[in-house]
Amino acid sequence: MNTTGMTMGRRAFCGGLAVFGASAALAGCSAPTKQNESAGGETAETDIVVLGSGLAGSACALAAAQGGARVTIVEKSPSLGISFLTSKGNVSICQTVENEEFWQFVPEIPDTMDDFVARYDKVTKTGARDVAYPDYNRVRALMGASCETINWVEQIGVDFTQSFTKEQVGTDTVKPDMAATNEPDKAPGLFVFECMKKALEENGVEILLEHEATTLVSEEGSIVGVEVLDGSKTKQIHAKAIVLATGGFGGSEEYLDELVPSVKSVGFQYLGNALNTGDGISMAKTVGAACYEDGWVIPFNVMPCKKLTDANPDFKRLCDMPMSGAPIEGGDVKSKLLVDAAGERFINEASPAIAQVTAMADHDAAPYYVLFDASNADVAAMLDEAADGESVVKADTVEALAEAAGTPALVASYEAYRDAAAAGADEAFGKPAEAFASYQESGPYYLVSYVPSYVATMGGVKTDADCRVVDESEAPIEGLYAIGEIAHRFMYNRSFVRHCSNSSALSMGRILGTSLAAE
Ligand SMILES: Cc1cc2nc3c(=O)[nH]c(=O)nc-3n(C[C@H](O)[C@H](O)[C@H](O)COP(=O)(O)OP(=O)(O)OC[C@H]3O[C@@H](n4cnc5c(N)ncnc54)[C@H](O)[C@@H]3O)c2cc1C
């Protein structure tokens, strides 16, 4: 490795940075590692390079720097933690009798670790597939460390408070206590990353924003560095450990087609970071990493199709749990009739979002429609404006609607739905009596195209319990690690256990960073 030559100046290193919106405060550039220019181009040298600055990458970088390592973060976007900035900041924790010293709040009935696993297993098996995960040894280790991780994050100035109990969402959950800060209205995710940035800088972590990791550098089978694109310039950073923390593949059509084809066939909307294009997966594959073949997504909700939300952003609030803003009154879709392309009902519409999204993907009979009437004048006005005979179909009667939309079973589904509502018993799908909408006796009626949405993915590279990336023979690839969403497939069977992605990303990062620094 050639490390002689010219030192690169700080100005050149920071050149071309642009920042935007809420993340402006998180843009920045700290003192670079030693820079050199060799015959092959610029090179730098450090102890650990972390690719990606989400919860996983930032936690890893901070823990490693706290342990005395020289650390560089390479981040493609202009901001630290870009995927998390608008987040409500919920993080699941596992409070068991075994880790009482780290509890965040006193649970009404404490779990044992076995209780926790039983509850977790029930949630993640919604729509279960025949796969070998969750890997409960790793779930136990990571979730068992979650309270300690939250205590560690609190040391950088984020106080957490209880947000959900395990009885509500499957795991005890905490979120940043914004009421205890000077800026209670700030997005919790942004606040976390402001504290994180300060801590990273105080611990001397070099942060390279708008730098895209492109290629791993290997030497005799070991990973010894990474090639990074800075605008049009390429440079190499050599290190003893390269940590892939580049998130999922929700922004990559190619990976989605390969790993989750229903995203295209059902028309899922992606609400996550468009920069998460599976770059770390691609880099790891080129050096022989084994990857999961069965991908899936972390669902968010069921919402109007992209054509509608693109034309009128208010459509994003025509669902029970919008990404931002309040639901539009009259848009309580969980009470309404949801049908498939044939007009058949196929699920209890009041099911949790994860079950709905899974059913829509597995049923694979898009387009899906929600039936509206004109009882809410504001909603009807939105639908009238959007009616195009495709994403919003309008007619005076349900019979005419079925004809216009080409959904022949709609009339029978509608009648059965009304009968079940009147009887207070939904034998077909088990929707509770109080959750049924009561439709008006006269039209107009509308069929509105609804799709599942997702915020993150499951799939990516395989790792061992020490977060080392492994090859097809399960042997670790020396010098290469992966944490967070790029590697968290082992945490789930099918369904996401709410807020465990944030939790496992933080814990994987903290634990790996600490151990790399100690090596
Ligand atoms: C809107 C939204 C809501 C969510 N809600 C929840 C929730 O309630 N609970 C929960 O547990 N999880 C939630 N998630 C998912 C969760 O935020 C992530 O899965 C988790 O935080 C994983 O973090 P990560 O660090 O692995 O990935 P990320 O935070 O996505 O970080 C990856 C980073 O890598 C960068 N990157 C990508 N490619 C490159 C490259 N080539 N070079 C350099 N940098 C690169 C990206 O720009 C990004 O900053 C949500 C996600 C979104 C987007």
Side-chain angles (χ1 to χ4, degrees):
M1 208 180 293
N2 186 346
T3 53
T4 58
M6 203 172 79
T7 301
M8 187 182 175
R10 180 176 160 78
R11 273 183 69 84
F13 222 61
C14 295
L17 274 190
V19 293
F20 57 83
S23 58
L26 298 175
C29 181
S30 51
T33 47
K34 194 174 162 197
Q35 302 294 309
N36 302 285
E37 196 165 59
S38 67
E42 288 169 14
T43 61
E45 185 265 328
T46 188
D47 294 332
I48 299 164
V49 184
V50 180
L51 311 181
S53 70
L55 287 181
S58 295
C60 179
L62 180 60
Q66 286 173 337
R70 293 173 304 156
V71 185
T72 296
I73 290 179
V74 175
E75 168 57 53
K76 181 156 93 165
S77 89
S79 166
L80 276 181
I82 190 92
S83 314
F84 193 73
L85 298 186
T86 56
S87 167
K88 295 189 174 74
N90 284 299
V91 183
S92 60
I93 51 174
C94 162
Q95 309 197 106
T96 66
V97 291
E98 293 90 344
N99 67 7
E100 189 172 350
E101 61 189 302
F102 297 113
W103 282 1
Q104 280 286 313
F105 58 88
V106 180
E108 224 166 84
I109 307 168
D111 269 346
T112 62
M113 183 50 93
D114 287 343
D115 295 333
F116 175 86
V117 166
R119 196 190 309 277
Y120 186 103
D121 195 58
K122 197 167 159 214
V123 177
T124 196
K125 291 233 169 105
T126 300
R129 285 176 172 163
D130 184 18
V131 292
Y133 356 101
D135 175 341
Y136 275 115
N137 288 331
R138 294 185 73 182
V139 171
R140 281 170 190 264
L142 279 174
M143 295 309 296
S146 57
C147 287
E148 197 176 343
T149 298
I150 292 298
N151 282 279
W152 174 74
V153 177
E154 289 196 321
Q155 289 166 22
I156 66 170
V158 185
D159 281 334
F160 284 86
T161 185
Q162 174 181 356
S163 49
F164 299 107
T165 64
K166 57 184 181 294
E167 289 78 15
Q168 290 171 309
V169 298
T171 59
D172 284 328
T173 307
V174 291
K175 64 177 181 184
D177 186 1
M178 296 309 295
T181 71
N182 295 331
E183 299 164 293
D185 297 330
K186 181 171 272 183
L190 177 59
F191 177 69
V192 168
F193 269 93
E194 286 173 352
C195 296
M196 183 61 86
K197 177 173 186 263
K198 190 161 169 274
L200 289 167
E201 287 176 346
E202 281 170 2
N203 282 276
V205 174
E206 177 183 51
I207 302 169
L208 304 181
L209 300 176
E210 290 191 309
H211 282 60
E212 180 180 349
T214 56
T215 315
L216 295 170
V217 180
S218 60
E219 215 171 72
E220 293 170 8
S222 298
I223 304 307
V224 295
V226 61
E227 202 158 277
V228 170
L229 200 57
D230 170 15
S232 58
K233 283 186 300 178
T234 298
K235 63 173 162 254
Q236 284 192 3
I237 309 175
H238 294 158
K240 68 176 184 187
I242 305 294
V243 180
L244 302 172
T246 48
F249 54 87
S252 159
E253 214 173 301
E254 292 74 25
Y255 276 124
L256 289 167
D257 285 351
E258 180 189 331
L259 296 169
V260 200
S262 55
V263 163
K264 189 180 270 175
S265 63
V266 175
F268 279 65
Q269 287 226 44
Y270 178 45
L271 306 177
N273 176 7
L275 294 177
N276 283 6
T277 45
D279 301 5
I281 305 173
S282 304
M283 285 186 267
K285 275 183 170 177
T286 63
V287 297
C291 290
Y292 294 99
E293 283 165 11
D294 54 329
W296 182 227
V297 296
I298 295 185
F300 186 70
N301 66 8
V302 174
M303 64 189 290
C305 68
K306 192 161 177 352
K307 185 173 178 198
L308 293 172
T309 56
D310 280 355
N312 177 0
D314 277 349
F315 270 101
K316 291 183 182 165
R317 298 192 294 122
L318 207 58
C319 56
D320 69 305
M321 188 179 63
M323 178 58 76
S324 59
I328 289 180
E329 206 183 316
D332 51 339
V333 289
K334 284 198 162 193
S335 69
K336 296 181 170 41
L337 172 62
L338 173 68
V339 294
D340 64 15
E344 300 270 9
R345 192 166 168 233
F346 61 98
I347 189 179
N348 163 11
E349 299 85 349
S351 310
I354 284 177
Q356 276 187 309
V357 170
T358 306
M360 288 167 95
D362 291 354
H363 189 59
D364 202 11
Y368 296 105
Y369 298 104
V370 173
L371 179 70
F372 281 77
D373 61 19
S375 52
N376 183 295
D378 293 337
V379 173
M382 273 173 76
L383 298 180
D384 281 335
E385 196 186 326
D388 59 358
E390 191 187 327
S391 43
V392 177
V393 187
K394 178 183 178 185
D396 286 336
T397 63
V398 172
E399 290 76 9
L401 195 59
E403 177 78 27
T407 51
L410 177 67
V411 178
S413 299
Y414 178 64
E415 279 164 9
Y417 183 90
R418 298 210 337 154
D419 288 348
D426 178 21
E427 278 173 23
F429 300 103
K431 188 170 188 167
E434 68 281 4
F436 278 86
S438 73
Y439 285 99
Q440 287 189 321
E441 290 299 329
S442 59
Y445 298 98
Y446 307 84
L447 278 182
V448 184
S449 170
Y450 271 70
V451 297
S453 71
Y454 69 106
V455 292
T457 54
M458 295 180 198
V461 300
K462 292 188 179 175
T463 51
D464 67 11
D466 296 322
C467 297
R468 297 180 297 184
V469 176
V470 297
D471 64 18
E472 292 295 350
S473 66
E474 297 187 8
I477 298 173
E478 205 180 312
L480 188 61
Y481 302 80
I483 51 174
E485 197 177 313
I486 183 178
H488 70 179
R489 179 72 188 90
F490 67 85
M491 290 284 297
Y492 311 99
N493 178 303
R494 180 73 181 284
S495 282
F496 179 55
V497 185
R498 278 173 70 184
H499 313 306
C500 282
S501 185
N502 290 338
S503 183
S504 62
L506 275 172
S507 285
M508 280 189 238
R510 175 181 69 83
I511 294 166
L512 177 65
T514 305
S515 94
L516 287 177
E519 275 176 14

